[in-house]
Amino acid sequence: MLAGKKIILGVCGSIAAYKSALLVRGLLRAGAEVRVLMTPSAADFLSPLTLATLSKNPVVSSVHTREGWNNHVELGLWADAYVIAPVTATTLAKLASGLCDTVLVAVYLSARCPVFFAPAMDVDMWQHPATRANVEKLQSYGNHLIDVESGELASGLSGPGRLAEPEHIVALLDAFFAAPEADLAGRRILITAGPTYEDLDPVRYLGNRSTGRMGIALAEAAAARGAEVELVLGPTHLQTTAAGVTTTNVRSALEMHAAALARWPACTDAILSAAVADYRPATLSGEKIKKSDGDLQLRLVRTPDIAADLGSSKRPEQTLVGFALETENGVENARGKLDRKQLDFIVLNSPLDPGAGFGHETNQIQLIDRNKVTAFELKSKRAVADDILDRLVRDKPTP
Ligand code: C5P
């Protein structure tokens, strides 16, 4: 799948930079064209001459050369993917904040292609909250983390922090470019995702821990398979810029209800992954609620059930998929929901399963319809999204 793909490889100053040479060879062997960018300190670890010879292209390490100016915008537009491997803690921070003092960051800021970043650092640096925050920031921009691997580190310590092995990086890129079949072309899919926030007063709200990651993965996977996606997204720091996805940002259950119902008649399918509040405060105080010595009682009222309202106006050719997050009697409760909300099938996940549910990169699901239960292994949320979409297509093939 990498044959003919144009890849920019960004290399930072890390002991792991020696693996970049193997990565260039692996990419070339897979048929890709590679151009290398290096930060000034990367040259202390690996000679630009090595990477220029292996990649068969000059290495760019500065915005300026003796001959003139390197057009970083042109490079950013040339590439099908930009892979920064290894990325150091310093460059991670620069990428996250847009501090553009190297050609590597300049190309990052002007690139329109998918960006992959493969960190390499000592275990404590990797686990520091500052690093975690920078990684999350890059992910919230839609960049893809190539996770560190665990093992012996240059410091003598052992743990997570090693640069992913070059062959793993090549395999991951290969899988990314494996063009999925456009088996959802012609379908318009409504997806609700994320939490809802129910305001109490100008500064307080009732919310939940959903991040919208599963729904965003569904939206991106469906768009990659040719669907037009209407993503109705509750308040979260995550977003998607994937082509084919139109995002409507909402805050409360009432807003999500209105946005979903307005879009439903023009959609062929809906997948409701949002964690919608069941209750909202009966009144919204215009002023910040003052504390007093005694307790405070809040009166909550029910929110509308979006799934049930879409279900009751469902046309026979439309498919409606719900989610259920259950801690006990999962299958039984999910079956009850199928009927109450007129769902075609339901995705059951338990927050008690390790690696599943809110906030994780992974999820473990069961697909439940009126006749059977199908259990899946723990997978990345993107792979889970494809399993759900496979079922959608199998139950109702695209005409
Ligand atoms: O009843 P419960 O909240 O467990 O049902 C979960 C399913 O119903 C999910 O698909 C969720 O997105 C949807 N739902 C909804 N509107 C609500 C509550 C849940 O669409 N008010």
Side-chain angles (χ1 to χ4, degrees):
M1 294 304 168
L2 282 165
K5 291 284 182 255
K6 301 186 183 85
I7 312 278
I8 305 176
L9 175 63
V11 181
C12 303
S14 154
I15 286 287
Y18 74 92
K19 290 189 187 170
S20 311
L22 300 171
L23 182 53
V24 170
R25 289 194 61 172
L27 289 170
L28 256 73
R29 210 174 288 139
E33 203 180 324
V34 181
R35 296 211 192 167
V36 178
L37 306 176
M38 292 175 88
T39 60
S41 68
D44 293 336
F45 293 88
L46 182 66
S47 157
L49 186 61
T50 306
L51 293 180
T53 310
L54 290 174
S55 69
K56 303 183 175 72
N57 274 310
V59 167
V60 178
S61 42
S62 160
V63 179
H64 312 278
T65 63
R66 232 175 297 160
E67 293 79 46
W69 180 67
N70 279 315
N71 189 342
H72 56 84
V73 176
E74 197 180 64
L75 253 182
L77 298 181
W78 168 83
D80 295 311
Y82 185 7
V83 185
I84 310 176
V87 63
T88 53
T90 308
T91 298
L92 259 185
K94 289 181 188 175
L95 297 170
S97 60
L99 199 155
C100 187
D101 67 346
T102 61
V103 70
L104 188 147
V105 180
V107 171
Y108 169 74
L109 293 177
S110 44
R112 292 192 187 161
C113 58
V115 175
F116 297 80
F117 61 105
M121 63 194 77
D122 191 54
V123 55
D124 297 303
M125 294 170 77
W126 173 242
Q127 287 169 345
H128 195 281
T131 307
R132 311 300 324 148
N134 287 332
V135 167
E136 274 187 24
K137 232 178 180 181
L138 291 190
Q139 288 180 303
S140 78
Y141 303 155
N143 304 154
H144 305 272
L145 168 68
I146 302 178
D147 214 350
V148 297
E149 297 182 4
S150 256
E152 221 174 279
L153 299 163
S155 60
L157 296 175
S158 186
R162 285 169 65 91
L163 176 67
E165 289 303 327
E167 65 264 30
H168 296 167
I169 300 179
V170 174
L172 193 136
L173 292 171
D174 194 62
F176 181 84
F177 283 115
E181 205 191 329
D183 56 359
L184 292 171
R187 288 167 95 135
R188 184 188 284 261
I189 306 184
L190 168 67
I191 296 175
T192 66
T196 64
Y197 285 177
E198 309 303 325
D199 288 333
L200 280 162
D201 69 18
V203 294
R204 302 184 182 96
Y205 59 85
L206 299 176
N208 63 68
R209 295 186 197 176
S210 167
T211 58
R213 208 184 286 284
M214 187 64 238
I216 288 174
L218 271 164
E220 291 179 345
R225 291 166 69 156
E228 271 183 66
V229 177
E230 289 284 352
L231 176 65
V232 177
L233 184 61
T236 169
H237 63 290
L238 300 178
Q239 55 176 326
T240 174
T241 52
V245 181
T246 307
T247 305
T248 305
N249 292 103
V250 296
R251 182 171 172 84
S252 64
L254 284 176
E255 281 178 23
M256 188 174 277
H257 182 260
L261 259 77
R263 283 157 185 75
W264 180 224
C267 289
T268 52
D269 314 85
I271 307 176
L272 307 174
S273 68
V276 187
D278 294 321
Y279 296 92
R280 64 183 173 86
T283 52
L284 169 62
S285 168
E287 307 293 334
K288 185 180 166 201
I289 300 169
K290 291 252 176 319
K291 65 170 165 289
S292 62
D293 291 339
D295 294 342
L296 172 70
Q297 295 227 358
L298 286 176
R299 201 167 79 81
L300 304 177
V301 294
R302 284 299 306 265
T303 52
D305 191 319
I306 303 168
D309 287 350
L310 298 187
S312 64
S313 61
K314 185 171 81 158
R315 299 191 302 269
E317 73 278 11
Q318 287 176 308
T319 306
L320 188 56
V321 181
F323 268 68
L325 191 75
E326 301 286 348
T327 51
E328 53 186 345
N329 300 331
V331 175
E332 205 179 301
N333 287 337
R335 282 246 162 83
K337 261 169 230 175
L338 275 178
D339 290 329
R340 271 202 314 281
K341 305 188 189 215
Q342 301 184 48
L343 302 170
D344 291 274
F345 66 90
I346 203 154
V347 183
L348 173 66
N349 47 182
S350 162
L352 304 181
D353 287 342
F358 288 166
H360 293 285
E361 293 286 349
T362 50
N363 203 2
Q364 184 165 19
I365 60 158
Q366 290 176 281
L367 293 184
I368 296 168
D369 63 18
R370 284 171 183 77
N371 306 313
K372 61 184 177 308
V373 175
T374 317
F376 293 81
E377 289 171 6
L378 184 73
K379 297 181 180 186
S380 72
K381 285 191 169 168
R382 176 61 181 253
V384 170
D386 277 314
D387 286 337
I388 296 167
L389 296 171
D390 285 347
R391 167 62 79 84
L392 195 75
V393 174
R394 211 192 62 202
D395 284 1
K396 223 167 267 174
T398 311

